Amino acid sequence: MEYYSGKAARLAHLAFAVAATAAFLATPCAAQNSPQDFVSLHNAARNDVGVGPVTWDDNVAAFARSYAARRAGDCALQHSSGSGYGENIFKGGAGKDWSASDAVGLWVKEKQWYDHASNSCSAPQGQSCGHYTQVVWRKSTAIGCARVVCNNGGVFITCNYNPPGNFAGQRPY
């Protein structure tokens, strides 16, 4: 260990402070919403069941951004229509910084109700498995997602999938 005195000590202390600050600023916070965050969360769920990864698609993301912008005015939990993409949507109330992790985590949590052996869903009333099966749909290989803070302070998140999944009678994986 080296010891400094006087001016050298102040410079060494300043250099340490600058390095520590840079390391802190470079550390990502927990509430991230980047394309890579959405992709990583999807791929973790897909990996758990042996499904290949999804990749980010700028065209699909452009649709997701456009639709999320339309929902910013009312934050309605309403699906888009006619896009040709699969879609999962999420709405979080005002007062929390809802993130990709919250949305994808909620969708993946539906796995508990999906029975792969019978390709059926035993979700309780008001619940579904369809968000989960879209996340892990083998043939859906490209995603684009978007997040907006709504006028009421809530958050709307959408992920779109290409090609779409959740076809009746077909297994997700």
Side-chain angles (χ1 to χ4, degrees), residues 4-173:
Y4 300 97
S5 63
K7 186 175 180 180
R10 286 190 299 276
L11 288 175
H13 181 74
L14 178 61
F16 175 79
V18 168
T21 301
F24 173 78
L25 293 176
T27 304
C29 68
Q32 293 292 309
N33 300 296
S34 73
Q36 190 56 51
D37 294 314
F38 282 104
V39 167
S40 294
L41 291 161
H42 277 77
N43 285 339
R46 294 168 70 87
N47 187 56
D48 284 348
V49 293
V51 176
V54 293
T55 59
W56 189 259
D57 183 293
D58 288 333
N59 292 324
V60 179
F63 175 81
R65 281 191 305 275
S66 173
Y67 186 65
R70 288 180 34 208
R71 292 277 60 95
D74 60 12
C75 221
L77 197 58
Q78 177 182 336
H79 283 280
S80 66
S81 61
S83 70
Y85 297 129
E87 183 173 70
N88 280 339
I89 57 177
F90 170 92
K91 178 177 90 171
K96 183 176 176 197
D97 190 22
W98 300 98
S99 68
S101 176
D102 295 309
V104 180
L106 183 68
W107 302 331
V108 171
K109 186 177 178 184
E110 294 177 0
K111 178 181 184 178
Q112 65 186 314
W113 301 310
Y114 177 68
D115 179 13
H116 186 260
S118 65
N119 193 32
S120 65
C121 182
S122 61
Q125 182 71 20
Q127 299 296 322
S128 157
C129 295
H131 303 101
Y132 167 70
T133 55
Q134 178 59 82
V135 168
V136 298
W137 197 265
R138 180 181 308 278
K139 293 180 182 176
S140 295
T141 57
I143 66 168
C145 304
R147 176 190 181 276
V148 295
V149 176
C150 302
N151 295 346
N152 66 7
V155 172
F156 181 87
I157 297 173
T158 181
C159 285
N160 292 93
Y161 303 82
N162 192 33
N166 285 341
F167 291 100
Q170 293 184 24
R171 294 179 185 274
Y173 54 91

